């Protein structure tokens, strides 16, 4: 960050163009990212210039505090306000500034769809737009899409598999009464359409579907088939989870999305409800971390609605609503900006309104009430205290909702690998789909950790940074992690955990040493803590470290086996790297090469090489 030019001088250089601006504190930490139609007018509105440069008096408490901390300013000029809005959103997710509202990246929700062009259509799940004109979508579903579909296929005799309709003969599904065998002409298109309409009715009316499931669950229970009853009980809960119960029916076939925001202390929640064909189809919600606010007026509803709407509609969607309802009043300028963004995004006008009367107002009230109820439940959770305790103990900037933990592994320099495991507060568990492993080139442990963390930091632009890193190592690796996060402009909380040294050894495997926790305090100084083994905060960090260690070790073993097999191939006379590559491209894996016949090997290499490989493995 260039501090040679004063903030006052930088303010004088501001252009009158559209763009994105960034505020930094005295240490070069990023405080805020904003966008403007006119950079000069927007940025200068934060300041008062006489008798000296200071924060403007009419700012909200949160923004006033931010401007008082601001010591440097940078900006990026862009062709128009819409492009500035898109870049602003991308940079906020990537860099996580202190004073911006930080939403989790919206997931791609699944839809149920049916292709009505087919003679005997099936219901399927998709997360993308399917090709074809006469396709009907239902959703999106935050949860329960698969459970809904599984239940429908159990109670309605639709074509069960895509491959069934191409067959010439009725299969097992027909024999057990789950399909009416259109492949053998046992049902006409018209008769099948009535069955399809029945299936669609269960999607439109989940209460009927749930009623069927409950009847079946009670039957299993009465027959002492408790395991099957438990499966259905879990399925019922999953389907109910995505559903907001309401008797509201707009008596029209409108597709409308509803957004509502509620907040309390350092937490806010965004509720999204999806109205399809005039009825509530599903809902989802996202919790947001916010800075503590002094009063209601300092809570920025506008910024949260903008982030939530841009985040959700950034991807192509099978269903783009005719209208978006919001539960709070926004400035006309903000609404116009969002409508312009949606028009450019989908080439379609989507109206954004805050209704005051009738059923649409009631829909917004339902969403708002659910938002407050979600906050009440969230704050009543006893398990959530571990996150606030860790935040307080380690002087973290935010509650650690998403935590990434790193470890590396090798044996005498062989199979050098690194592993990253991810823990999410919303799951209260590890998110194994987000785990990553890395092959490393570096030889020593310090260089390996630097390579591992650098690779992760380089991917922040695609997969935004978490709230907390946990490193398996001491204060040296803590400093390394801090430097890497700073090099990409991320203010990231970091904890390191190491074994205390006994006779210059850690004795990890023997359990003779205690764990020591290392972190940076508010003044930037490194502190080390040795907690009691019974301390829940220590046990939580240990659990994450141990999972990272297990994941890295398991990947190391896999790579070691692979390397050992490759080494064994190198020992065969006449077999070099080029021939090994050729064999792997053909057979796919070492085990298949080892078990291949002479004739199979001769197809890839010459007769002499094939015989040498067969002789080697027979001898082995």
């Amino acid at each position: 960050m260039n501090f040679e030019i004063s903030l006052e001088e930088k303010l004088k250089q501001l252009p009158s163009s559209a763009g994105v601006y960034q505020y930094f504190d005295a240490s070069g930490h990023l405080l805020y990212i904003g966008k403007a139609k006119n950079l000069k007018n927007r940025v200068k509105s934060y300041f008062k210039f006489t008798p000296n440069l200071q924060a403007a008096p009419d700012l909200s408490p949160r923004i006033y505090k931010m401007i008082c901390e601001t010591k440097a300013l940078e900006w990026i000029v862009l062709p128009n306000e819409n492009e500035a809005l898109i870049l602003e959103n991308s940079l906020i997710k990537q860099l996580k500034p202190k004073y911006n509202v930080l939403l989790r990246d919206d997931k791609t929700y699944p839809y149920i769809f049916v292709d009505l062009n087919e003679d005997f259509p099936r219901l399927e799940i998709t997360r993308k737009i399917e090709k074809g004109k006469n396709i009907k979508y239902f959703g999106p579903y935050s949860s329960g899409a698969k459970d809904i579909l599984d239940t429908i296929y159990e109670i309605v005799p639709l074509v069960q598999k895509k491959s069934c309709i191409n067959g010439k003969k009725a299969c097992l599904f027909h024999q057990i009464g789950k399909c009416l065998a259109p492949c053998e002409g046992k049902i006409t298109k018209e008769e099948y359409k009535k069955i399809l309409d029945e299936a669609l009715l269960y999607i439109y009316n989940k209460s009927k579907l749930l009623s069927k499931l409950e009847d079946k669950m009670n039957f299993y229970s009465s027959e002492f088939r408790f395991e099957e009853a438990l499966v259905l009980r879990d399925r019922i809960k999953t389907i109910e989870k995505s559903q907001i119960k309401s008797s509201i029916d707009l008596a029209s076939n409108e597709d409308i999305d509803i957004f509502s925001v509620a907040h309390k202390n350092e937490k806010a929640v965004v509720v999204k409800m999806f109205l399809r064909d005039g009825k509530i189809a599903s809902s989802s919600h996202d919790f947001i971390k916010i800075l503590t606010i002094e009063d209601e007026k300092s809570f920025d509803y506008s910024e949260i609605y903008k982030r939530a709407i841009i985040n959700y509609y950034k991807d192509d969607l099978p269903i783009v609503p005719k209208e978006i309802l919001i539960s709070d009043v926004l400035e006309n300028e903000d609404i116009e900006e969002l409508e312009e963004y949606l028009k450019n995004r989908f080439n379609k006008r989507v109206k954004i309104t805050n209704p005051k009367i009738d059923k649409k107002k009631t829909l917004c009230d339902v969403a708002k009430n659910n938002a407050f109820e979600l906050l009440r439940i969230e704050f009543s959770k006893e398990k959530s205290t571990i996150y606030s305790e860790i935040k307080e103990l380690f002087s973290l900037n935010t509650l650690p909702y998403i935590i990434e933990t790193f470890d590396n592994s090798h044996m005498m320099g062989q199979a050098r690998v690194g592993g990253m495991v991810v823990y999410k507060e919303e799951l209260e568990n590890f998110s194994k789909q987000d785990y990553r492993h890395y092959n490393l080139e570096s030889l020593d442990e310090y260089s390996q950790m630097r390579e591992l963390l650098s690779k992760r930091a380089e991917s922040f632009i695609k997969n935004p940074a978490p709230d907390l890193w946990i490193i398996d190592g001491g204060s040296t690796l803590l400093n390394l992690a801090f430097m890497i996060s700073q090099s990409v402009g991320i203010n990231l909380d970091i904890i390191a955990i190491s074994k205390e040294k006994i006779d210059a050894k850690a004795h990890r495997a023997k359990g003779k040493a205690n764990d020591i926790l290392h972190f940076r305090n508010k003044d930037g100084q490194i502190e080390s803590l040795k907690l009691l083994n019974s301390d829940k905060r220590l046990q939580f960090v240990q659990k994450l470290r141990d999972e990272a260690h297990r994941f890295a070790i398991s990947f190391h073993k896999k790579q070691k086996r692979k390397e050992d097999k490759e080494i064994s191939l190198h020992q065969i006379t006449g077999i070099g790297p080029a021939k090994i590559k050729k064999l792997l491209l053909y057979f796919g894996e070492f085990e298949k090469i080892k078990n291949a016949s002479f004739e199979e090997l001769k197809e890839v290499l010459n007769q002499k090489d094939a015989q040498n490989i067969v002789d080697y493995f027979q001898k082995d």
Side-chain angles (χ1 to χ4, degrees):
M1 184 49 49
N2 183 7
F3 286 94
E4 293 177 8
I5 303 173
S6 69
L7 179 59
E8 196 162 358
E9 284 299 313
K10 290 288 284 186
L11 288 167
K12 290 176 183 176
Q13 297 172 7
L14 280 162
S16 299
S17 314
V20 170
Y21 58 91
Q22 298 171 310
Y23 292 142
F24 299 85
D25 67 12
S27 302
H29 294 148
L30 182 60
L31 297 175
Y32 186 77
I33 296 173
K35 66 105 192 80
K37 189 175 184 178
N38 183 311
L39 282 166
K40 181 188 285 188
N41 295 346
R42 179 68 183 126
V43 175
K44 283 188 173 182
S45 70
Y46 286 99
F47 297 90
K48 179 184 176 185
F49 291 85
T50 55
N52 47 43
L53 186 66
Q54 55 189 290
D58 57 344
L59 300 173
S60 70
R62 180 176 73 102
I63 301 300
Y64 185 88
K65 186 172 183 291
M66 176 190 79
I67 294 300
C68 289
E69 293 178 29
T70 299
K71 302 299 177 190
L73 164 69
E74 295 293 338
W75 62 82
I76 303 167
V77 173
L78 291 158
N80 54 60
E81 192 178 13
N82 187 63
E83 290 196 25
L85 186 69
I86 294 167
L87 179 61
E88 176 203 31
N89 196 57
S90 174
L91 289 175
I92 288 170
K93 283 191 292 183
Q94 182 187 342
L95 301 177
K96 297 180 178 285
K98 179 179 176 182
Y99 283 95
N100 281 102
V101 171
L102 302 177
L103 272 75
R104 298 171 192 177
D105 207 20
D106 242 317
K107 300 174 279 290
T108 305
Y109 295 108
Y111 287 75
I112 294 173
F113 80 98
V114 57
D115 187 349
L116 298 172
N117 293 305
E118 295 176 358
D119 291 338
F120 300 97
R122 299 179 65 255
L123 293 171
E124 297 182 66
I125 290 177
T126 184
R127 290 179 184 267
K128 61 184 188 206
I129 298 174
E130 299 293 326
K131 292 180 181 177
K133 290 183 178 179
N134 200 15
I135 293 176
K136 176 75 176 171
Y137 295 94
F138 304 91
Y141 296 95
S142 58
S143 64
K146 185 178 183 302
D147 295 279
I148 290 169
L149 223 54
D150 287 347
T151 305
I152 288 172
Y153 274 106
E154 284 175 15
I155 60 180
V156 182
L158 293 170
V159 173
Q160 296 282 316
K161 300 286 180 185
K162 217 168 188 177
S163 57
C164 288
I165 202 67
N166 298 322
K168 302 289 183 184
K169 193 174 179 183
C171 62
L172 178 65
F173 289 118
H174 176 62
Q175 294 172 32
I176 61 176
K178 285 194 172 183
C179 179
L180 298 177
C183 54
E184 284 191 357
K186 293 182 182 292
I187 183 172
T188 65
K189 293 179 190 178
E190 291 72 24
E191 289 168 331
Y192 187 85
K193 186 180 180 305
K194 291 177 183 176
I195 293 170
L196 179 64
D197 289 341
E198 182 190 349
L200 298 184
L201 187 63
Y202 286 120
I203 295 179
Y204 285 120
N205 192 337
K206 288 200 202 72
S207 297
K208 285 191 175 182
L209 189 71
L210 290 168
S211 178
K212 284 271 188 183
L213 275 174
E214 284 166 2
D215 289 344
K216 200 169 184 180
M217 179 183 70
N218 293 332
F219 169 75
Y220 282 150
S221 186
S222 66
E223 293 286 312
F224 302 104
R225 294 161 66 178
F226 297 119
E227 285 188 13
E228 291 165 285
L230 283 172
V231 169
L232 293 187
R233 185 202 65 181
D234 292 341
R235 190 183 290 182
I236 289 167
K237 284 183 178 179
T238 305
I239 294 172
E240 285 180 334
K241 195 175 172 183
S242 69
Q243 188 181 24
I244 288 179
K245 293 175 182 175
S246 173
S247 59
I248 300 170
D249 187 340
L250 292 186
S252 71
N253 61 352
E254 288 181 278
D255 292 333
I256 296 173
D257 292 352
I258 303 106
F259 285 73
S260 187
V261 175
H263 74 89
K264 181 181 179 183
N265 300 334
E266 290 187 348
K267 219 163 206 181
V269 66
V270 178
V271 166
K272 298 183 282 262
M273 281 170 38
F274 305 101
L275 205 77
R276 298 296 178 253
D277 292 321
K279 299 178 182 66
I280 295 175
S282 63
S283 70
S284 69
H285 65 272
D286 295 296
F287 286 104
I288 309 161
K289 53 191 176 187
I290 55 175
L291 290 173
T292 306
I293 56 171
E294 289 78 6
D295 54 42
E296 177 69 25
K297 289 182 180 177
S298 65
F299 183 77
D300 195 340
Y301 282 98
S302 172
E303 188 174 0
I304 292 184
Y305 276 110
K306 281 202 286 187
R307 294 278 153 262
I309 289 171
I310 292 167
N311 245 24
Y312 180 72
Y313 297 102
K314 70 183 185 303
D315 300 315
D316 290 335
L317 298 173
I319 299 173
V320 178
K322 176 184 175 184
E323 185 177 8
I324 297 171
L325 307 182
I326 54 176
S327 295
D328 298 279
V329 177
L330 299 188
E331 297 287 338
N332 287 336
E333 185 181 343
D334 294 327
I335 289 176
E336 288 169 8
E337 179 182 82
L338 286 169
E339 287 181 341
E340 184 65 22
Y341 167 78
L342 294 169
K343 185 180 177 183
N344 288 325
R345 182 74 191 80
F346 299 109
N347 196 26
K348 169 184 175 180
R349 184 169 183 265
V350 181
K351 190 167 63 171
I352 300 175
T353 55
N354 170 230
K356 306 296 182 189
I357 56 171
D358 297 335
K359 290 181 178 179
K360 290 182 180 179
K361 169 69 165 65
T362 308
L363 282 169
C364 288
D365 291 342
V366 168
K368 180 71 89 170
N369 290 338
N370 273 272
F372 278 116
E373 178 62 12
L374 285 164
L375 281 176
R376 185 192 67 77
I377 293 168
E378 186 70 10
F379 278 103
S380 68
K381 283 182 184 176
E382 289 186 2
K383 287 185 179 178
S384 66
T385 58
I386 186 68
Y387 309 106
S388 54
E389 287 175 14
I390 285 174
K391 178 179 184 260
E392 184 178 352
L393 177 66
F394 298 113
S395 303
L396 305 183
N397 294 312
T398 60
L399 284 168
Y401 294 123
I402 301 176
I403 306 170
E404 293 176 353
T405 309
F406 299 86
D407 193 15
N408 48 40
S409 182
H410 69 94
M411 181 179 288
M412 304 293 289
Q414 277 189 291
R416 300 181 295 275
V417 301
M420 178 188 85
V421 302
V422 181
Y423 186 94
K424 292 187 175 180
E425 178 264 353
E426 64 179 332
L427 302 175
E428 293 184 358
N429 209 338
F430 293 99
S431 178
K432 296 199 174 182
Q433 66 185 30
D434 295 309
Y435 283 18
R436 295 290 181 270
H437 54 240
Y438 302 84
N439 287 301
L440 305 175
E441 300 292 331
S442 305
L443 297 175
D444 63 276
E445 289 195 13
Y446 180 87
S447 300
Q448 286 168 9
M449 186 59 77
R450 179 174 59 199
E451 185 182 347
L452 172 60
L453 296 179
S454 297
K455 284 185 174 184
R456 174 62 186 108
E458 287 164 8
S459 70
F460 282 161
I461 193 164
K462 291 181 180 176
N463 182 13
D467 304 303
L468 174 65
W469 269 0
I470 295 177
I471 311 298
D472 187 5
S475 56
T476 304
L477 291 184
L478 175 71
N479 261 334
L480 170 69
F482 179 76
M483 286 189 293
I484 289 170
S485 68
Q486 291 291 296
S487 71
V488 292
I490 301 290
N491 298 323
L492 190 58
D493 287 320
I494 305 168
I495 299 169
I497 177 170
S498 64
K499 293 285 184 187
E500 69 174 334
K501 300 290 184 182
I502 299 175
D503 299 329
K505 294 181 180 178
H507 296 292
R508 180 203 288 269
K510 297 178 184 178
K512 292 182 179 179
N514 294 314
D515 283 318
I516 301 174
L517 299 162
H518 313 271
F519 65 99
R520 281 176 171 257
N521 61 25
K522 291 295 183 185
D523 299 322
Q525 303 300 313
I526 290 181
E527 289 189 25
S528 297
L529 281 176
K530 192 191 294 182
L531 301 175
L532 294 173
N533 290 332
S534 58
D535 193 298
K536 289 183 179 179
R537 297 164 298 182
L538 172 63
Q539 291 172 352
F540 181 77
V541 177
Q542 286 172 327
K543 180 174 80 170
L544 272 58
R545 186 271 315 275
D546 292 346
E547 173 65 3
H549 188 64
R550 180 204 64 77
F551 181 63
I553 286 286
S554 64
F555 182 55
H556 162 76
K557 287 178 179 176
K558 181 181 176 183
Q559 293 300 90
K560 183 72 167 61
R561 285 195 297 270
K562 184 179 174 183
E563 283 189 13
D564 288 346
K565 288 171 182 173
E566 188 170 346
I567 289 167
S568 71
L569 280 174
H570 275 298
Q571 293 172 347
I572 302 172
T573 305
I575 306 299
K579 289 179 181 177
I580 291 173
K581 185 177 180 182
K582 201 172 181 182
L583 286 165
L584 282 171
L585 285 170
Y586 185 84
F587 290 101
E589 55 188 64
F590 287 100
E591 205 61 38
K592 288 184 179 177
I593 298 170
K594 183 179 177 180
N595 297 324
S597 67
F598 171 78
E599 293 300 324
E600 288 173 319
L601 291 164
K602 199 174 72 170
E603 288 291 318
V604 186
L605 304 177
N606 58 49
Q607 188 170 331
K608 183 180 177 182
D609 288 335
Q611 192 60 54
N612 284 340
I613 293 171
V614 170
D615 292 344
Y616 178 84
F617 284 118
Q618 282 179 349
K619 180 183 174 183
D620 186 54

